[in-house]
Amino acid sequence: MKTLKIALILLLSTFIYNTSDAQILRNSFLMGGSMNFDHNSGSTKRTEGGQPTITITNPTTTVFGLAPRFGYFVADNFCIGLNLDFRLNSATTPNTTTTTRLIAGPFVRYYAPLSDNVYVFGELSFGGGLDNTSEIVGQDTTGGITRPITTNVGVTNIQVGVGPGLNFFINEYIAFEALAKYTYSNATSNFSYTNPQTNALTAVKSSTVGNNIAVTLGLQIYFRAITSGIKN
């Protein structure tokens, strides 16, 4: 709760701090976002006493993320829009677990110019969506055909985020962006499995609350800003 209060204070400060007459005018459009990719693999060699060296294969992980953003300025310096968040995580340990996430929701921003090409802004966002986790836990060789045995778990996500950011315009169209954001999330999952000993179906429900602080860097493109005039 203390973290949320700090984030709200920083957000409010962007509304009241304005030292320039520059404006991002009504009817401008915003398009941007961020993307990331990470792949990690390796091995560990271990020698204990006089025993032969053992090579242990480390988990192999692959992460891909894409988070586009689209917005429209309904008033000078005030933007509403849509955030999308797609993520794909794959880990082999040695079973292969794949998690996909798709979250979408609206956001609002208010910009306060520090100069003709530097703006601070505050962002408030809401989001909802689904995570799906699939894990290969074995193989089915019935009929001489090998098929993977998988388990699937679906998770419902709700998120609320708030935080300040900074745009640095390198020209009338393009701005580099830094955003420091606090996000509260609540993830709920419901799934069932068959107990191999009793052959009974068991239902499982879980709820996870998360508090995340992240700093992201991205690129934003502003359409019609040059025709409407970023500068007065």
Side-chain angles (χ1 to χ4, degrees), residues 84-133:
L84 298 175
D85 183 9
F86 172 77
R87 298 182 191 179
L88 176 64
N89 297 347
S90 178
T92 303
T93 60
N95 292 338
T96 299
T97 302
T98 302
T99 300
T100 57
R101 163 177 287 189
L102 180 60
I103 294 178
F107 73 88
V108 295
R109 282 185 173 188
Y110 183 80
Y111 291 76
L114 300 181
S115 67
D116 286 344
N117 64 333
V118 179
Y119 289 73
V120 294
F121 64 87
E123 177 175 306
L124 177 64
S125 65
F126 301 89
L130 297 174
D131 288 2
N132 183 73
T133 299

Side-chain angles (χ1 to χ4, degrees), residues 24-90:
I24 302 179
L25 297 184
R26 180 175 176 265
N27 294 328
S28 297
F29 289 88
L30 164 66
M31 184 176 72
S34 60
M35 181 176 66
N36 69 285
F37 177 80
D38 179 72
H39 179 78
N40 184 46
S41 64
S43 61
T44 301
K45 292 186 176 181
R46 178 177 176 181
T47 302
E48 188 172 340
Q51 301 297 319
T53 300
I54 300 174
T55 300
I56 303 173
T57 301
N58 295 338
T60 299
T61 59
T62 302
V63 178
F64 172 76
L66 181 64
R69 175 185 294 113
F70 308 93
Y72 172 71
F73 285 80
V74 296
D76 291 355
N77 295 331
F78 184 71
C79 180
I80 63 173
L82 177 67
N83 279 324
L84 298 175
D85 183 9
F86 172 77
R87 298 182 191 179
L88 176 64
N89 297 347
S90 178

